[in-house]
Amino acid sequence: MTPDRDDRLLAAEFVLGLLDAETRAAAERRLASDAAFARDVAAWQKHFAAFDDTADAVVPADDLWRRIEAGMAAAAPAALVTPPGLLRRLWNSLGALRIAALSGTAAAVAFALVAVVSLRHADEVAARKPVYVAILVDDATRQAGAIVNAFADGRVEMIPLVDMTVPAGRTLQVWTLWNREVGPRSVGLLDRARATPLDLQRLPTTAADQLFEITLEPAGGSPTGRPTGPILYKGTTARTL
């Protein structure tokens, strides 16, 4: 999820009152210093204004309905005139008004909640789907040994597909190469084949045709900062569909 989308969802949840006390307090502090966040909050408040229960109640004048009834009687055809006193009886029927108000508000709130939850669910699904995938294979046997997944938020993970035997005193080291002039960079050390996040935070964003490989190195990793042992598996990234 991008920061802009995170802020828009946070602003919507703030306006709807869905945040816990700590998160809401933090959001209130941001309103005073973050103009973009304040604009998002104002936009959602306008969007949800129809059912904003924070608005001050307005008490109608005593003769309001008498004047409305008189005006309607004068303007409408006789067959369509509201029976005298009907509007006043409806006004005085708190039960009917509460049912109507709550029904409308509940429907609006439910719609808003579905919209917010749907946006968050879509972002969560997108965040779980990798942007680039590399299948690392053994050049000799063409057997796939691991998969590397790179996500839109910068996370990169490696998932082994086979049990890689690691002799005593040796370690598995994962490398990536995005620029031959710069050379390969180590992004992970493993004592055994297991799913693990790779450390690419200080490197350029993962792109298409980026090389990943696994080598067998001395315990503690390559002493030179470059691959020295045999390459077990390697492959390049491709964008997912």
Side-chain angles (χ1 to χ4, degrees), residues 189-200:
L189 288 173
L190 297 89
D191 56 357
R192 57 185 175 83
R194 56 183 171 83
T196 184
L198 301 180
D199 183 13
L200 278 79

Side-chain angles (χ1 to χ4, degrees), residues 148-193:
V148 172
N149 294 319
F151 300 88
D153 60 4
R155 291 180 299 114
V156 183
E157 66 179 9
M158 188 193 74
I159 302 174
L161 301 177
V162 297
D163 183 16
M164 304 175 198
T165 302
V166 182
R170 306 298 293 273
T171 189
L172 298 173
Q173 192 158 6
V174 187
W175 307 82
T176 189
L177 175 66
W178 72 96
N179 185 318
R180 294 190 179 279
E181 294 181 1
V182 175
R185 289 290 184 268
S186 174
V187 293
L189 288 173
L190 297 89
D191 56 357
R192 57 185 175 83

Side-chain angles (χ1 to χ4, degrees), residues 23-39:
T23 307
R24 181 174 183 82
E28 288 173 344
R29 289 193 295 271
R30 283 190 63 187
L31 287 175
S33 59
D34 189 335
F37 181 67
R39 286 194 297 271

